[in-house]
Structure formats: C-alpha cells, structure tokens
Amino acid sequence: MENPSNNSKVTRRRFMRDSVRSVLALGIGAVSGLLIGRSTKQNIVWQLDPEKCVQCGRCATDCVLDESAVKCVHAYDVCGYCELCGGYSKPDAHELDTAAENQLCPTGAIQRSFIEDPYFEYTINEKLCIGCAKCVKGCGSFGNGSLYLQVRHDRCVNCNDCAIARNCPGEAFSRMPSDRPYLLKGEQGLT
Amino acid sequence: MQNRNHIFSSITLIAAVGLLIFYGFTIFSGRSGRDENPFEYDVDSFKGADSSLIHYAEVQSIDFEGKKLTALTLNFKDELIVAAGREIFRIDSMFQSSLWITTQYPVRCLATDIEGLVYVGLENIVLVYHPDGSKQAEWDDFPRQAILTSIAVGDSHVYVADAGSRVVHYFNNSGKLITRLGEKDPVRNIPGFVIPSPYFDLCIAKNGSVWVVNPGRHTFENYLPSGDLVAQWGKTSMRIDGFSGCCNPTHIAMTPQGEFVTSEKGLERIKVYSPAGQLLSVVALPEQFDEGTVGLDLAVDSKGVIYVLDPSRERIRIFGKKEVS
Amino acid sequence: MKKLNINTSRAGLFLILFIVILMIGSSAFTQNRFPKPEFESDYQQSQTTTPDPQAQIYEVMDLFVLFLMLVLATYFAHRKRSRHALFILAIVSVIYFGFWRKGCVCSVGSLQNITLALFDKSFMIPVVVVLFFALPLIFTLFFGRTFCASVCPLGTVQELVLIRPMTLPKWLSRILGLFPYLYLGLTLLFAATGAAFLICRFDPFVAFFRMNGSLDMLILGAFFLVTSTVIGRPYCRFVCPYGVLLGWMSSLSRTHVTITPDECIKCRLCENACPYDAIQKPVPEQNPENRKTGLRRLKMLLLIAPLVILTLGWTFSRLHPLLSRVHYTVRLADQIQREDSGQTDLTTLESQGFRSSGTPTKVLYDEALRIQKQFNIGGWILGGFMGLVIIWQLVGVSIIRHRKDYEIDRFSCVSCARCFNYCPREKNKKKTKVNE
C-alpha cells in the first residue's frame, strides 16, 4: 500500500522531468534546425591563400602529420621557364646546373629539365617536397611567383582545428567548401 | 596493495597537474615551438656593398601617398613627369605636383624628346602629347599581345620596348613603324630577348643606337637601327657587380656621361655601370627599400642626379652624388 | 505589349551589365597573365594537379554508422543487457571512428563548431557536423549515455584498456569532477570568440588513432592511455566537456539502464563493480535531527549562492586579459604594441607577417580591443556558471536523499553494463532463460 502523498510526489516529479526533457529536446532540435538551415551540404576543407603566405616555414614543421599535407605546387603558366630560377638555384650557386650543391630545395624535390634554349621546365616531386616554402620565397622575390604552397587534399586529414592554420603568421589559412578546395595561381585559378 | 594504489594515484595526480600547467602555459603564451624559420631563404649576405663603392646618398623625396606610381621621366628642362595609374603629373622646380593628363588606361611608361613632346605608353598604344597637354598622335601599330614597358626617343628615332612580343619596335618620329629589333636570329647572332616578367627597359645612346636590357640573360645589348647587334655585356651573379633572378635589371637610365644606372628586383638595389659594363658605384642598397619592392623606374637629369620611383613607399626618391671628402 | 517592352529593356540592361562584367573580368585576366615563352619545340605545358578531398559519401556514411551504432548500443544495453555485445561494439567504434576515420569528425569536438556557428554567421558548418552533435544528445535524453558506452571512440579506447580498475578517494573524484565544467566553459568561451578549438587542440587520442602527431599531443595521449589502464575513463570523467552535456541529458533521461533486471535484493555484490563511481549505495531513512541540520545547510548555501556566483564572475572577468591571449589577434596586437613601444627588440614571425601585410596597426588594436571586451563579458558568464556549478554540487552533498536500493547515478553512468553480471538476479534470470 503506497502512501498517497508520496505517490503524488512521485508523479509530480515525473511530470517535472518529462517537461524539462521536452524542453531540452526542443532546444537541441531548435539549435540543430537553426544551424542546419544555414549549413552547407559540402564538406569543409582547409586551404591556404598563396597571396597571404609569408613563407615562414611552419607548414613544414607544424602539420600534425610527420610529412606535412602542405606542399609546393607549380603554376606553369605563371612561370618564366628561366635558366636562372630563384626557386631552384641557391643564391650563391656556382653553376646553374642540377648539381645537388647548387640546389636551393633542402630535399631536392624540384626537378629541372631542359626544353629548348633558353627555357627550362621545373616540376615538383611531391614525394620529396616537405612544404618548407624556401623555393616559394626565392621564386617570389626574384621570379614570377609561380611556385607556391597548397594544402594537398590527398594527404590532409582535415583536422577540425588545423595546427598550421593556428600558427600561420600570414593568417593565410581558411576553411573552404570541398567543391573548390584549392586556391590556384594562373589560369587554373581563374576558372 | 593499498599503499601502491596510493603512490600510483599520487604520481598520476602530480603528472596531471604538471600537464595542466604545461598545456595552460602553451595556450596562454601562444606558441610552444620555435620562432625562427629553419628554412629561411637567406640572401642577406648579398645585401651589402663595400662602402667605398657607395657614392650616392638620398637627398630628397617627393610624396605621392595613396598613388600607385608606375613611371617617371624628365624633360629637356629637367622637369619631372610622373605617372600613377591613369594619371600623369607634372612636377615643378619647387617639387609641387599637379595633375596634367588623365588617360583611358593605366600608363606603363613615359618618355620625352628634346622639343618637350611627351610619349605615353599604355598597354599597347603610344600617345604623343604636346607640352601644352593636347594629344598630337596615337600610335597603335603593335601586335595583339603587346605589353609596352619602355620608350626611348632620339633625334629621329623612337624605340618602344614590348615585353609581350619580346621585341623592340623602331619608329621614325612621325610614328611610322620602320622595323622590329632583337628577334631571335641565329644567323645574325641575335640571341632573342628572354622576358619572364613584364620588365623590359631600353635607353638610347648618343649615336642613335639603342641599349636594350635582356633581363632573362642579365645582359645589355646594343642594337643599331639596322637591327645589328653590335655590343653586349652582362654578368649573372647575386654579388654586387652582377644581376640575378629571372629578370634583372628591371629598369635602366643613362647619365649625361653615357653611364648606365640600373635598378633590380629581388635584391632591390640601384647601381651605376660604365658604358662597357664596369661597376662604378652603388646608389642604393636593399636596406633602403621595402622587401619585395618591384618597379623602381629611373631617370637621370642633366646634372647626373638620379630620380627613383618607389611604388612601395609611394614616393619619388632623389639620389645625389656625395661630396668627396 | 507595354509589359514586353519593359522586359526587353530589362533584358538589354542585363546584357549590358553582363558585357561590362565580362570586360572587367577579361581585363583582369590580361593583367594577371604575362605571355609565357613561345616554345619552338613541341613542349606541352603541364597542369597543376589538384587531388580531390575525400568524397562526400564518407561523411554521410559516418553519420549512418553513428546512428546505427547508437541504436545498437542502446539495444545492447537496455534490451540484451549484454556487456559482451557492448564490448565488441566498442572495438568496432575504435576501429571505425578511430583508426579508420582518424578520429575526425567527432561529437565531442563538434560542440565547438556548433558554438562558433551560433556566434559567427559566416562560419560554415556542414550538416553532418550538426547531426554529429545532436544525435548523441537526443539518444542520451531518452536512453542515457549509451553513446559513451560503445560509440564515442575517445570513450571506447579508455573502456578497452581498463585492465585493473582502482577507485579514487571520493573527495578527489569530486574535485576532479569539477574540471569538466571549467573545461566546458572555457571551450565554449574560446569557440564562441573564435580564439581556439580547445577540445581538438588537446584531443588525447587523435594522435594515437593517426599513429602520428606532435610531441605534446603524443605525451598527452600516452598519459591518458596509461592512466586509463587503472583509473576508469579519466578523460570522460575528469575532462570531457561534451560529457557534461551528456550527463545532464542522462540525468533527465526517459529510461536508463539499471543494475538489476528486476528488483534489488541489497546483496552488496555490485558495490565495487563500477570503475566510474556511478553506483550509489542505499541511504537509510534519516532521523529528523539530521534532516533539520541539512535544511539549515541548504538555506545557508542558497543565501551565499549569489555571492559565490558574483565573486567568481568578477574574478573570471578580471582574468580576461589572460584568457583573451588565447586569441591570435590579441597576442599579435600585444606583440606589435611591445615592439612599437620599444619594450622588446625581438620580432616574431607573426609580427613580421603582420607588418608585411600592410594592415594599419590601429585596425589590429581595435580588433584586439573588441575581442578583449568579448572576453570580459564571457569571463562574467564563465565565472557565474562555475559559481552555479559549485553551489549545485554543494547542494547535492547537503541534501541526503533517502535511497532504498543500489541505484545508478544517471549523470555519471556510461551504460557500460559492467555491473549487470555482478547482480545475482541477473544470473538468476539468465539461468531461467537458458532452462526454458
């Protein structure tokens, strides 16, 4: 035999809980609804704006991956195809050749191939590139700026809080919808 | 057993507090890592010069705050004419500037002749203005891809440097195109201009021939009106006596004595060379410019004073010879 | 007819506009581009490769898996009452969400995206992230923290490595249990101001899932992994901010797992079964004397509550210069200010980057001041919240509620089903089931 007053206490309590629960459920629903209303169907990915990049070297050191997801890419239609390439040769290079001691890249990731006098093509070996931006600086100050950094999405694990973005002195990183995941230079960037 | 638990939990607790302090510190102090760039692209060692070579000092400057300076020239009266975007200014002897002409497209280069006519190079048109400001002629006989970067006017010759087509257009002074100079021609031993970026300057010599910068090869080339290449000099090096990068020097001017004044990008410096290519003196070093300054157009007046257009600091900077002590 | 005219003129206007836009575009085009060399050989210019980001379908799949696992976890906990099944599900979670999907996107971290999206309208938030945030909360509101039991990869890692649980002194776990509230408050403050994503930055296991990461993240991961072997779910209980929200939901949940399948016989066998301190012992009926002192304590607490809340609010708001330093802009402004006033000769990469950008310092200072103001207000709210939490905890301690049976503390129970097998009634029931 239950105490009637106790019983009413229990139902009152239950009623309270039910109503608070409903309010909470409604609250979660409302917040989600509000945000879904202005959310994107796209995924969000990280990318860096080459115009804001200050070539600080942190892309190479600060990525959570051992081998950074940021690498150098080449805008071929911006390149001057020079023999003396500020991004390829060391400032004090003795010869403009492909000898390792004359190369600027610390990992030798830039390949130079002769096309015709006086033009040379430069390509990046992404397996070797560490994203240090040394060549970006060299190319930018002496050349046309055709070498620049991009987050490579085949490598990026898309952290919610990008460790490089957090420390980027140029504040060059931003979140992009995944249907335009690159900020390219040259003709490819215009389309 | 109890004791071991106790020890373990104490150690854990201390570690937790330690971690908390450590991570708290990293987050409030900002960065945990180093603050220098281990991959610094370092050209500092090339930024200096022997002080015995520095014969010039900045004597004055003319402010153009908020203007995107593009070109400058001096007329026969040593009066400055400066272009900023679509506007052309005249500067009087008191260094007061006044708007003179507004063009339809941005001005890329300027030149004057001995009668005071002003030649204004837009992307692919040359406009000729009378000193009173009226337009006298419009020359548009240029290829579609033309990007005009420099004009030089002699007694009866007008040379127009075209970075887009990589040639020098040679006109008579009534605007008739006579020929194009400098196209690659192995038979005549003409190497062809290598122009990776739109910097391609030239100046006219006393004998009417033209000195053209081949910026991709870091050379100066001397062409006769006939198109023959008669002389050339140049040195590729980051050191003070050479030119480096993809395209240097970006601008040149000639002193009354026939010496060359040069400006560079990458290592922003201004130097004077003898007609044969010997480094004579240093006018300005990279420390005197903002890093990344490009487009230091040059002019020299009849007394040898050097006028430098500094687009980054938005002013015309004037360098005079230092008194010899 | 007239109408048509208007339409055609409007079309004309649009055409002109279109041409103008095209011209602007094309002139920008020629400005941008310098003719590249005209090659005489048959050289073909290469293109910059652009590897695609991960396909959308994976995120949708994540969502589907999350939902499915929530349903399964709830089913295993409530209906099957099977620790075994939950354990296997936990392994699946670690493998799928952890090692395969590398720990991102996670419900715990989504809290920050939600917060930032609420405060910053320009912040883009994908639908998937919103649902990752909402689904576990809704489930918990109805069934308790089954999400924690077998779905959350951070929780399940700790669940799996817990080898030899030991209990912490009650006072200690109470004090440590306050930290998640502080962490929640800080997380919300930093996320709302766009200063930092604290949870992601100090994610204990993401480096472990990726087998890759910075040294400080690896240290953090190692610490939690080692600790988890003897202390039950240290991250969930003493750190996880999302856990606070889940705890609140769980406290009000419609149904919740119970220790015993039917009635408690107070055999005390389950007393030490829970490594998470979520089993509450029976409390005998109090004598009226105790009740009176309890009431008096309660009154006192309610009296000093506003004082505590205001004091803490004031304290935290006074801390705003320190707290706001987490924001990049504030740190940068401070550095620039110290450089300009000659307090330091050392420039940082940040200050060099700022100076090369050409932004006027006034813009930076104004922005920094605006952010600091936000932190001042945020500090009041955070402090007030902490005051409330502390008072609430003290109230919880002072009100001794009569309890007949061994019951689950709904706030902290993660529905791991460990205690079920300790209950003789459970064994009994299973036996009869088998016999049938």
Side-chain angles (χ1 to χ4, degrees):
Chain A
M1 186 68 203
E2 294 233 1
N3 185 342
S5 76
N6 206 5
N7 202 5
S8 77
K9 209 171 177 180
V10 166
T11 45
R12 195 166 71 224
R13 206 164 176 164
R14 185 184 222 141
F15 175 73
M16 282 286 285
R17 287 170 65 112
D18 279 351
S19 34
V20 175
R21 187 182 320 119
S22 317
V23 168
L24 275 176
L26 276 175
I28 296 169
V31 168
S32 314
L34 176 78
L35 290 179
I36 286 175
R38 59 166 199 249
S39 66
T40 65
K41 282 208 197 86
Q42 294 290 324
N43 288 349
I44 302 297
V45 296
W46 289 99
Q47 192 49 272
L48 74 99
D49 183 351
E51 303 300 330
K52 290 185 182 168
C53 171
V54 295
Q55 297 98 39
C56 65
R58 283 185 185 163
C59 282
T61 55
D62 285 24
C63 183
V64 292
L65 301 175
D66 281 342
E67 183 193 338
S68 177
V70 176
K71 296 200 181 272
C72 182
V73 294
H74 195 191
Y76 292 92
D77 47 22
V78 179
C79 179
Y81 290 83
C82 313
E83 184 182 13
L84 170 57
C85 171
Y88 180 78
S89 297
K90 269 187 188 162
D92 51 355
H94 298 294
E95 297 286 338
L96 297 180
D97 59 12
T98 54
E101 73 269 18
N102 292 328
Q103 288 187 32
L104 178 70
C105 179
T107 59
I110 308 179
Q111 281 157 359
R112 158 185 164 127
S113 48
F114 177 71
I115 301 172
E116 63 185 56
D117 180 59
Y119 300 126
F120 290 80
E121 185 191 48
Y122 297 90
T123 45
I124 314 281
N125 181 350
E126 281 196 21
K127 285 209 178 73
L128 297 177
C129 176
I130 55 169
C132 70
K134 199 167 184 173
C135 61
V136 178
K137 184 90 174 262
C139 177
S141 47
F142 288 97
N144 289 359
S146 60
L147 295 169
Y148 62 105
L149 295 182
Q150 285 286 280
V151 175
R152 304 301 277 166
H153 290 298
D154 51 343
R155 294 197 46 77
C156 178
V157 290
N158 209 12
C159 298
N160 198 13
D161 181 36
C162 172
I164 313 174
R166 199 161 67 212
N167 291 331
C168 174
E171 297 183 78
F173 278 71
S174 59
R175 293 177 170 91
M176 307 278 293
S178 61
D179 59 346
R180 8 181 216 109
Y182 291 93
L183 289 165
L184 299 177
K185 282 188 170 185
E187 272 177 7
Q188 277 178 280
L190 292 169
T191 49
Chain B
M1 189 68 196
Q2 196 63 35
N3 204 21
R4 239 169 58 194
N5 275 359
H6 199 76
I7 292 169
F8 182 83
S9 51
S10 310
I11 292 172
T12 314
L13 206 62
I14 290 165
V17 171
L19 280 177
L20 195 66
I21 291 169
F22 172 68
Y23 289 111
F25 181 77
T26 60
I27 189 169
F28 289 120
S29 70
R31 251 181 79 76
S32 49
R34 63 180 148 238
D35 207 47
E36 76 280 2
N37 180 1
F39 307 104
E40 184 67 55
Y41 178 79
D42 194 3
V43 287
D44 284 352
S45 56
F46 300 103
K47 286 185 173 169
D50 193 336
S51 60
S52 65
L53 276 170
I54 303 171
H55 301 152
Y56 285 80
E58 186 169 355
V59 288
Q60 198 157 8
S61 67
I62 310 167
D63 245 336
F64 280 87
E65 215 181 303
K67 300 280 181 202
K68 275 187 77 176
L69 296 176
T70 48
L72 90 171
T73 192
L74 288 160
N75 68 10
F76 67 102
K77 288 188 278 187
D78 280 350
E79 283 170 351
L80 256 182
I81 298 168
V82 176
R86 292 166 48 231
E87 300 170 321
I88 301 173
F89 296 87
R90 273 182 117 149
I91 287 120
D92 63 20
S93 52
M94 303 302 291
F95 293 145
Q96 292 303 306
S97 63
S98 54
L99 183 63
W100 185 40
I101 298 167
T102 304
T103 58
Q104 206 177 348
Y105 299 103
V107 177
R108 286 179 168 265
C109 47
L110 290 170
T112 59
D113 70 1
I114 43 165
E115 286 157 26
L117 292 181
V118 179
Y119 295 73
V120 179
L122 309 183
E123 182 153 311
N124 50 15
I125 309 173
V126 171
L127 307 174
V128 185
Y129 286 91
H130 192 266
D132 67 12
S134 62
K135 187 155 81 180
Q136 281 209 325
E138 193 169 318
W139 304 355
D140 55 4
D141 192 6
F142 295 102
R144 202 180 56 85
Q145 75 272 26
I147 297 173
L148 307 186
T149 51
S150 182
I151 307 173
V153 190
D155 300 336
S156 59
H157 327 75
V158 179
Y159 297 101
V160 180
D162 176 354
S165 344
R166 301 183 177 84
V167 290
V168 173
H169 305 279
Y170 167 35
F171 295 86
N172 69 10
N173 48 14
S174 58
K176 189 176 174 312
L177 178 71
I178 295 167
T179 183
R180 303 189 202 276
L181 311 177
E183 276 168 311
K184 185 170 177 174
D185 186 349
V187 179
R188 294 168 81 184
N189 241 342
I190 295 172
F193 297 118
V194 181
I195 307 169
S197 68
Y199 298 100
F200 182 37
D201 206 356
L202 47 72
C203 60
I204 202 159
K206 290 240 164 63
N207 63 3
S209 68
V210 64
W211 279 95
V212 189
V213 177
N214 194 341
R217 299 185 197 271
H218 312 119
T219 52
F220 282 66
E221 296 172 3
N222 190 202
Y223 290 91
L224 297 181
S226 63
D228 286 325
L229 174 62
V230 287
Q232 71 183 87
W233 62 267
K235 183 181 177 188
T236 296
S237 168
M238 278 214 183
R239 273 173 268 279
I240 192 71
D241 58 342
F243 302 107
S244 67
C246 79
C247 20
N248 269 322
T250 59
H251 294 87
I252 56 169
M254 198 175 263
T255 65
Q257 292 79 37
E259 296 156 354
F260 295 107
V261 184
T262 65
S263 75
E264 289 164 74
K265 67 169 180 164
L267 285 168
E268 303 85 0
R269 54 192 183 192
I270 296 171
K271 300 176 292 195
V272 181
Y273 284 86
S274 77
Q278 192 72 37
L279 177 68
L280 298 177
S281 48
V282 172
V283 180
L285 286 170
E287 62 186 26
Q288 286 161 277
F289 299 96
D290 297 335
E291 201 178 298
T293 303
V294 193
L296 297 166
D297 198 7
L298 301 167
V300 187
D301 73 8
S302 56
K303 294 190 269 313
V305 174
I306 298 170
Y307 294 75
V308 180
L309 175 121
D310 188 336
S312 175
R313 298 199 183 165
E314 299 171 342
R315 61 178 69 149
I316 307 293
R317 300 169 66 176
I318 304 166
F319 293 83
K321 264 223 155 109
K322 284 199 269 197
E323 301 292 319
V324 183
S325 51
Chain C
M1 202 61 222
K2 221 174 187 180
K3 205 165 191 184
L4 197 79
N5 256 338
I6 294 170
N7 276 345
T8 47
S9 74
R10 188 176 286 174
L13 197 77
F14 272 119
L15 197 70
I16 292 167
L17 238 155
F18 180 65
I19 291 169
V20 166
I21 289 168
L22 212 72
M23 275 167 67
I24 293 169
S26 63
S27 77
F29 186 69
T30 49
Q31 287 278 319
N32 248 330
R33 191 153 133 56
F34 187 78
K36 54 179 177 290
E38 284 148 11
F39 297 110
E40 287 157 3
S41 56
D42 55 355
Y43 167 73
Q44 286 294 309
Q45 186 185 284
S46 309
Q47 288 267 304
T48 309
T49 58
T50 53
D52 283 326
Q54 197 169 52
Q56 188 77 40
I57 187 77
Y58 283 103
E59 310 265 316
V60 177
M61 190 165 82
D62 287 346
L63 198 61
F64 177 72
V65 172
L66 174 76
F67 183 74
L68 186 74
M69 287 183 70
L70 279 168
V71 171
L72 281 179
T74 310
Y75 174 72
F76 291 153
H78 283 256
R79 273 299 181 66
K80 294 270 280 191
R81 293 178 60 82
S82 166
R83 164 89 186 138
H84 195 66
L86 282 171
F87 194 79
I88 289 169
L89 196 63
I91 296 175
V92 173
S93 156
V94 169
I95 292 171
Y96 181 83
F97 286 116
F99 288 107
W100 194 49
R101 303 293 292 140
K102 308 280 182 225
C104 255
V105 60
C106 88
S107 298
V108 181
S110 71
L111 171 61
Q112 306 160 107
N113 300 54
I114 296 287
T115 313
L116 184 51
L118 285 176
F119 282 84
D120 177 1
K121 287 208 167 63
S122 67
F123 179 73
M124 288 183 290
I125 184 159
V127 181
V128 173
V129 174
V130 179
L131 293 176
F132 253 78
F133 171 75
L135 273 181
L137 288 178
I138 297 285
F139 260 84
T140 309
L141 198 52
F142 284 88
F143 307 108
R145 298 169 66 168
T146 51
F147 167 75
C148 302
S150 297
V151 186
C152 174
L154 302 181
T156 47
V157 167
Q158 300 168 79
E159 182 76 45
L160 297 183
V161 299
L162 180 56
I163 304 162
R164 208 178 56 93
M166 103 193 171
T167 41
L168 291 175
K170 201 136 195 118
W171 63 266
L172 184 60
S173 55
R174 254 189 213 290
I175 291 174
L176 290 177
L178 282 175
F179 186 71
Y181 294 96
L182 179 64
Y183 199 49
L184 173 68
L186 287 171
T187 299
L188 294 184
L189 177 63
F190 292 152
T193 50
F197 274 14
L198 215 53
I199 300 175
C200 298
R201 185 149 169 197
F202 300 117
D203 186 319
F205 299 122
V206 78
F208 171 60
F209 290 145
R210 290 178 180 148
M211 294 290 173
N212 211 331
S214 61
L215 184 65
D216 55 347
M217 269 185 133
L218 287 170
I219 292 173
L220 194 68
F223 172 76
F224 274 108
L225 266 184
V226 170
T227 317
S228 305
T229 57
V230 287
I231 297 174
R233 293 188 180 234
Y235 187 79
C236 303
R237 287 157 72 203
F238 307 130
V239 185
C240 183
Y242 191 64
V244 173
L245 301 187
L246 290 171
W248 288 340
M249 300 297 141
S250 182
S251 308
L252 294 156
S253 64
R254 199 182 147 83
T255 58
H256 197 285
V257 288
T258 49
I259 304 171
T260 163
D262 36 35
E263 62 175 320
C264 178
I265 53 173
K266 295 171 226 24
C267 63
R268 301 184 60 189
L269 283 174
C270 66
E271 210 174 82
N272 294 317
C274 185
Y276 311 129
D277 286 339
I279 294 179
Q280 296 166 319
K281 289 179 194 168
V283 180
E285 200 91 59
Q286 297 160 329
N287 63 46
E289 198 54 39
N290 279 351
R291 200 182 160 79
K292 244 187 197 159
T293 51
L295 258 174
R296 214 174 33 240
R297 253 208 316 260
L298 188 64
K299 268 188 198 152
M300 273 293 291
L301 270 175
L302 292 179
L303 259 173
I304 61 161
L307 196 70
V308 173
I309 291 169
L310 281 176
T311 315
L312 278 174
W314 181 83
T315 315
F316 274 92
S317 82
R318 286 303 87 199
L319 283 175
H320 79 264
L322 176 71
L323 292 175
S324 64
R325 276 189 64 82
V326 175
H327 200 291
Y328 181 91
T329 308
V330 175
R331 268 199 324 268
L332 177 63
D334 178 59
Q335 172 69 22
I336 294 286
Q337 196 263 329
R338 287 197 303 144
E339 279 176 24
D340 284 355
S341 65
Q343 277 170 280
T344 175
D345 297 332
L346 296 172
T347 61
T348 62
L349 288 174
E350 281 83 358
S351 66
Q352 288 158 23
F354 171 76
R355 292 188 199 278
S356 72
S357 77
T359 313
T361 42
K362 175 145 186 350
V363 174
L364 176 73
Y365 289 160
D366 287 350
E367 180 66 11
L369 270 180
R370 193 182 62 80
I371 294 163
Q372 286 200 322
K373 218 171 269 170
Q374 287 176 349
F375 269 90
N376 194 358
I377 299 165
W380 273 104
I381 299 172
L382 173 61
F385 169 70
M386 283 315 290
L388 258 177
V389 167
I390 289 167
I391 294 291
W392 183 253
Q393 297 281 321
L394 290 175
V395 167
V397 179
S398 357
I399 301 178
I400 300 160
R401 195 174 287 148
H402 161 63
R403 199 182 299 121
K404 314 211 287 279
D405 302 332
Y406 279 87
E407 273 176 25
I408 275 174
D409 170 14
R410 289 188 167 198
F411 182 90
S412 27
C413 171
V414 294
S415 309
C416 71
R418 262 202 182 77
C419 53
F420 297 173
N421 281 340
Y422 285 80
C423 184
R425 301 288 301 177
E426 179 90 16
K427 286 195 178 129
N428 206 13
K429 206 174 177 191
K430 273 191 182 149
K431 216 175 275 170
T432 50
K433 225 180 209 173
V434 170
N435 285 348
E436 273 167 14

